[in-house]
Amino acid sequence: KNQVEQSPQSLIILEGKNCTLQCNYTVSPFSNLRWYKQDTGRGPVSLTIMTFSENTKSNGRYTATLDADTKQSSLHITASQLSDSASYICVVSLPDLYNTNAGKSTFGDGTTLTVKP
Amino acid sequence: DSGVTQTPKHLITATGQRVTLRCSPRSGDLSVYWYQQSLDQGLQFLIQYYNGEERAKGNILERFSAQQFPDLHSELNLSSLELGDSALYFCASSVGPPANTGELFFGEGSRLTVL
């Protein structure tokens, strides 16, 4: 069982509509939670980064929320555009407790968003 | 452009062969990460290097190996290739580990096709 689960697996919406993607994690403790956007065949690009003490972070039309108590995060996309069609990946990073510079992160399988005209 | 360069972009080879994928991290980034993404699958972490030393290991097969050189570029070696190794291989770099909110910057990937 993946420690980072995303839902829905895929989503189709009409251009201009809003949508919300979910990420539930069991990773604990964690250092930060990130949302990435990955266009088909391209490398992921970071949208937002939140530490465990933050509960919301915005980047243009993208707003991420974090509830560390329930271990849930969401990514809300406002006024969707055709270019928002992509996979959205939730990533939870573990703290580097012993300063080993080890980058331990757990990736969700992503939500594939399709925006139709 | 993330500043992370991966070569080659595409590679087609036969089963049983060996290939080397190369990654140049962003200037100043000390950490390099390798990920595998099979068709319609999520990103699977393979291995991480920090300033030339291995720091974290994921589900990397024994047939695969990597190293980071003194100039900080990294190579991922895949040997005795099987059909199932066909995938996109991504390299990412960061100044420090993600735990310290070290942003991960991904390259555009190397697409490996094993026939």
Side-chain angles (χ1 to χ4, degrees):
Chain A
K1 183 173 167 66
N2 197 345
Q3 291 184 295
V4 177
E5 299 214 334
Q6 294 187 241
S7 62
Q9 188 173 15
S10 62
L11 182 62
I12 300 174
I13 63 173
L14 292 176
E15 186 179 12
K17 297 296 186 182
N18 303 335
C19 68
T20 300
L21 314 180
Q22 299 289 345
C23 173
N24 295 340
Y25 61 92
T26 57
V27 176
S28 182
F30 80 96
S31 175
N32 56 68
L33 185 147
R34 308 154 185 262
W35 283 93
Y36 285 87
K37 178 187 179 189
Q38 185 180 23
D39 292 321
T40 302
R42 307 291 300 275
V45 175
S46 179
L47 292 175
T48 62
I49 303 173
M50 288 181 292
T51 65
F52 64 89
S53 61
E54 296 177 293
N55 52 30
T56 188
K57 186 68 72 77
S58 290
N59 178 1
R61 295 180 296 103
Y62 301 100
T63 300
T65 63
L66 173 64
D67 186 335
D69 291 333
T70 61
K71 295 187 171 56
Q72 295 179 325
S73 177
S74 64
L75 181 69
H76 186 74
I77 304 175
T78 304
S80 62
Q81 300 176 359
L82 297 179
S83 59
D84 292 332
S85 295
S87 178
Y88 292 84
I89 305 168
C90 175
V91 183
V92 180
S93 295
L94 278 67
D96 185 14
L97 296 175
Y98 304 106
N99 294 317
T100 63
N101 291 307
K104 296 181 186 290
S105 297
T106 302
F107 284 69
D109 287 336
T111 291
T112 300
L113 174 66
T114 302
V115 180
K116 295 201 167 184
Chain B
D1 181 5
S2 66
V4 178
T5 304
Q6 289 188 247
T7 57
K9 286 186 168 41
H10 302 275
L11 191 56
I12 301 174
T13 188
T15 54
Q17 295 298 305
R18 173 191 168 93
V19 298
T20 297
L21 309 181
R22 182 188 168 100
C23 170
S24 293
R26 289 189 329 149
S27 177
D29 284 359
L30 299 177
S31 276
V32 169
Y33 309 77
W34 286 98
Y35 297 88
Q36 179 193 54
Q37 188 174 39
S38 301
L39 188 63
D40 295 331
Q41 300 292 314
L43 286 155
Q44 299 296 320
F45 170 65
L46 295 178
I47 197 163
Q48 179 222 349
Y49 283 83
Y50 177 83
N51 203 20
E53 295 189 7
E54 183 185 308
R55 278 288 181 256
K57 216 167 189 176
N59 298 323
I60 186 168
L61 299 173
E62 284 192 12
R63 300 183 287 109
F64 296 1
S65 65
Q67 54 183 329
Q68 186 180 28
F69 295 86
D71 67 352
L72 301 178
H73 91 271
S74 178
E75 293 181 355
L76 178 66
N77 301 297
L78 314 176
S79 62
S80 303
L81 286 168
E82 302 175 359
L83 296 177
D85 297 328
S86 295
L88 264 170
Y89 290 84
F90 287 104
C91 169
S93 74
S94 66
V95 172
N100 300 338
T101 67
E103 181 63 64
L104 276 180
F105 294 88
F106 284 83
E108 289 303 313
S110 292
R111 182 176 294 280
L112 172 67
T113 302
V114 182
L115 301 176

